[in-house]
Amino acid sequence: MKVKSYAKINLGLEVLRLRPDGYHDLRTLFQWVSLYDSIEFKPLSSSVLRLGGDDPSIPWDETNLVYRAARLIQNRAGGRAGAELFVEKRIPAGRGLGGGSSNAAMTLWGLNALWGVGLSKPELEDLGRTLGSDVPYFLTGGLCLGEERGDVLTPLPDLANLPVVLALPPFPVPTPLIYRNLDPASLTPADKDSKMTGFLRTRNPGGLTNTLEETVFRFYPQLLEIKSLFREQGAALSLVTGTGSAVYGLFEDRGRAERCLAVLKERGEAVLVETVTRAQGWDAIEIGVSPSGKAAGFGPAIRGFESSRPSGYKHAKRER
Ligand code: C5P
């Protein structure tokens, strides 16, 4: 069994406050994009877990989030099942694209199906949030509002497929560095009318912001130049995703996105992708299997995924 593990961008992100546990309460809009890694799962007759990957710069050992996810599911399966996992990496690490979190989520999901463990979506989410704040999102995908640590999710009606140009700087950004150095003035008061509220009402992404950007640009001013270039090229929205280092431009038409890609490629690495809806993503999740030909018990495992916990976000219309 081989599955896709999509990347995400944050269409908007507002940090509300520092929490007593050292994390931050936030409000963010997660969006799947069509850049993905793939993970192959092969069952083993012994209880061994074997992990490999095609990127030699990544440690494919017990510290890897994929390995830790596999171990969590294995424990819940009674410890007897084994598997060999192989990850083909396309999502660069440390760019705010959620590659590691997505891989961990799809490992929980894939091994739950492969071994017939039978954990529910909320149970998988609970395991996921022990691995990272963004992990639960990847068990839902599409367009979602994330609150609290980013792990309390409200699935939203999807946007149409829109072209997205990703500028991929050659360096990662350490997420804790940015959160540790947040300017208190950049916090959004919880009672302030959110830019996201406006977006949910109008569906116009133009006004969305990422309040982490100010701190990111203080450390990495070159990313501000990329953002300015996107604006010049007519992006409807351009933001750093998460804490970066990737900067994206969301476009309303493909021609403009292609011209922008050509300009960016003269300066560094960039790719053209598009937003992926929840239904499109889950329908194509198994590589080499058409949506109608999914293995018995596997399709229902996907469709049985009801939306997660209710959110207090009044303007967010729940899809299911
Ligand atoms: O949860 P995760 O391990 O992905 O978070 C990485 C780091 O990002 C945390 O150690 C913390 O510094 C910061 N973070 C935060 N508030 C969040 C999410 C992440 O402060 N909601």
Side-chain angles (χ1 to χ4, degrees), residues 14 19 29 49 76 85 97 124 130 133 148 154 157 173 175 188 192-193 195 209 225 236 250-251 270 275 308:
E14 293 170 345
R19 297 157 48 113
L29 290 168
L49 283 180
R76 294 297 292 267
L85 281 68
L97 295 166
L124 292 180
T130 70
S133 310
E148 300 190 16
T154 305
V173 170
T175 300
T188 306
K192 189 175 166 231
D193 195 23
K195 298 254 171 45
T209 55
E225 286 172 35
L250 179 78
F251 288 83
T275 60
S308 52

Side-chain angles (χ1 to χ4, degrees), residues 102-115:
S102 172
N103 293 172
M106 292 317 296
T107 299
L108 295 174
W109 186 85
L111 290 178
N112 188 47
L114 186 80
W115 290 333

Side-chain angles (χ1 to χ4, degrees), residues 81-142:
E84 185 171 340
L85 281 68
F86 191 85
V87 186
E88 284 172 41
K89 287 300 290 181
R90 301 290 170 271
I91 309 170
R95 268 50 173 198
L97 295 166
S101 301
S102 172
N103 293 172
M106 292 317 296
T107 299
L108 295 174
W109 186 85
L111 290 178
N112 188 47
L114 186 80
W115 290 333
V117 188
L119 296 188
S120 65
K121 187 186 179 198
E123 287 174 310
L124 292 180
E125 283 182 342
D126 284 344
L127 292 180
R129 61 172 62 82
T130 70
L131 297 168
S133 310
D134 290 354
V135 176
Y137 160 69
F138 291 100
L139 294 164
T140 296

Side-chain angles (χ1 to χ4, degrees), residues 15-16 181-189 192 211 214-215 218:
V15 184
L16 308 183
N181 288 284
L182 267 188
D183 179 356
S186 72
L187 298 180
T188 306
K192 189 175 166 231
T211 62
E214 221 175 278
T215 313
R218 201 153 25 93

Side-chain angles (χ1 to χ4, degrees), residues 91 137 188 203 216 232 239:
I91 309 170
Y137 160 69
T188 306
R203 296 254 132 186
V216 174
E232 282 164 27
L239 292 176

